[in-house]
């Protein structure tokens, strides 16, 4: 005896047709990846143009053209030209911290760990001149844009991670004096590297010598390492020379 076919409600039939129908447009994961790629392209283009022209000189239409996007996408992702500029500054700090996180965390000697931190900062500044250029531009604006970032203050503790760990171990074993702080040493390294590289052209004219030759750059890197080691050393353990 044959059984009558089950009755299908209109709603169930609609769901079944929707499942069988081909999807229009990319899948959600593909859309998210495309959105991330667009946002990343805008950030990279904006970094180049803000570094070249500064906040005041950069134009939204120039950035959208360089990123092969559209003005409306900049406003969609970042809200405004200032919002994009703040995002660029945040990305500078994020990439710096990301690079610092790749340094070996298990360097046995605290003084060598400090030297690694010095060389990392110095060479990062050298390889990423846009870092110095953009921070110079923001300082001309008295930091009014980055002050609007809710994330800015979160970057500093991570940036000083390696130094803080090295100083704690060095103080514990008597290699470093107890009155130093990671903040002060970080500012010392950043100041000596940032000033030299940010002003190398005028320094060359003022001193009458090439301050950006390979020999001059290597000399200043070694000088920073030595200066930091001397600052950290207790009076009875100052290096000779």
């Amino acid at each position: 005896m044959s059984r009558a076919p089950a009755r299908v409600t209109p709603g169930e039939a609609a769901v079944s047709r929707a499942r069988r129908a081909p999807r229009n447009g990319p899948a959600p994961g593909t859309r998210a990846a495309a959105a991330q790629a667009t946002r990343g392209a805008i950030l990279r283009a904006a970094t180049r143009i803000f570094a070249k022209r500064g906040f005041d000189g950069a134009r939204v239409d120039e950035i959208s053209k360089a990123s092969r996007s559209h003005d409306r996408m900049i406003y969609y992702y970042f809200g405004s030209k200032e919002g994009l500029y703040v995002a660029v500054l945040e990305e500078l700090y994020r990439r710096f911290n990301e690079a610092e996180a790749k340094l070996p965390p298990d360097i046995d000697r605290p003084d060598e760990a400090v030297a690694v931190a010095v060389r990392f900062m110095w060479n990062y500044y050298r390889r990423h001149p846009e870092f110095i250029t953009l921070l110079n531009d923001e300082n001309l604006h008295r930091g009014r844009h980055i002050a609007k970032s809710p994330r800015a203050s979160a970057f500093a503790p991570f940036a000083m991670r390696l130094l803080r760990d090295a100083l704690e171990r060095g103080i514990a074993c008597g290699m470093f004096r107890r009155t130093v702080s990671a903040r002060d040493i970080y500012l010392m390294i950043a100041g000596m590297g940032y000033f030299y590289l940010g002003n190398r052209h005028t320094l060359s004219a003022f001193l009458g010598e090439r301050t950006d030759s390979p020999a001059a750059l290597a000399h200043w890197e070694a000088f920073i390492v030595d200066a930091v080691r001397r600052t950290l050393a207790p009076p009875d353990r100052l290096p000779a020379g």
Side-chain angles (χ1 to χ4, degrees), residues 3-226:
R3 182 178 297 178
R7 184 180 177 185
V8 178
T9 66
E12 290 171 335
V15 170
S16 179
R17 288 194 300 271
R19 287 174 176 170
R20 292 195 305 268
R23 293 182 179 180
N24 294 322
T30 305
R31 289 196 298 271
Q36 188 65 27
T38 299
R39 190 179 187 279
I42 292 171
L43 273 176
R44 289 189 296 273
T47 298
R48 293 193 304 271
I49 291 171
F50 281 130
K52 182 178 180 181
R53 305 194 186 283
F55 175 77
D56 293 330
R59 301 193 320 272
V60 168
D61 63 321
E62 185 181 14
I63 294 170
S64 63
K65 182 179 179 181
S67 63
R68 298 183 179 181
S69 185
H70 303 280
D71 293 5
R72 68 177 182 275
M73 301 308 295
I74 291 176
Y75 295 113
Y76 176 79
Y77 287 115
F78 303 100
S80 63
K81 174 183 168 181
E82 182 183 42
L84 175 58
Y85 185 66
V86 171
V88 164
L89 295 174
E90 290 176 342
E91 182 67 5
L92 287 180
Y93 288 118
R94 188 197 68 78
R95 291 203 308 263
F96 179 90
N97 285 354
E98 184 179 69
E100 196 262 0
K102 296 176 182 177
L103 295 176
D106 53 352
I107 302 171
D108 292 333
R109 288 181 56 87
D111 57 342
E112 184 55 34
V114 169
V116 167
V118 171
R119 295 186 181 105
F120 163 75
M121 291 175 65
W122 168 255
N123 286 295
Y124 192 90
Y125 292 162
R126 284 186 60 193
R127 293 166 185 159
H128 299 275
E130 74 282 358
F131 189 91
I132 291 177
T133 302
L134 284 163
L135 293 186
N136 280 345
D137 185 65
E138 178 58 2
N139 276 293
L140 289 175
H141 291 93
R142 298 182 179 272
R144 75 168 186 262
H145 305 295
I146 194 63
K148 298 178 182 180
S149 167
R151 302 170 56 197
S153 60
F155 292 114
F158 188 88
M160 289 186 281
R161 175 188 61 87
L162 182 64
L163 269 178
R164 186 179 295 108
D165 292 347
L167 262 59
E168 288 175 356
R169 291 189 291 116
I171 290 170
C173 71
M175 184 177 288
F176 300 153
R177 57 191 179 90
R178 296 184 175 276
T179 54
V180 295
S181 71
R183 172 192 176 275
D184 292 346
I185 299 302
Y186 179 87
L187 289 175
M188 178 182 182
I189 300 167
M192 294 181 76
Y194 184 100
F195 177 84
Y196 187 100
L197 294 171
N199 295 275
R200 63 191 182 280
H201 303 299
T202 50
L203 284 173
S204 293
F206 177 74
L207 297 172
E209 61 184 66
R210 287 282 305 278
T211 59
D212 58 352
S213 68
L217 293 171
H219 166 78
W220 194 248
E221 177 182 345
F223 185 89
I224 300 174
V225 171
D226 184 64

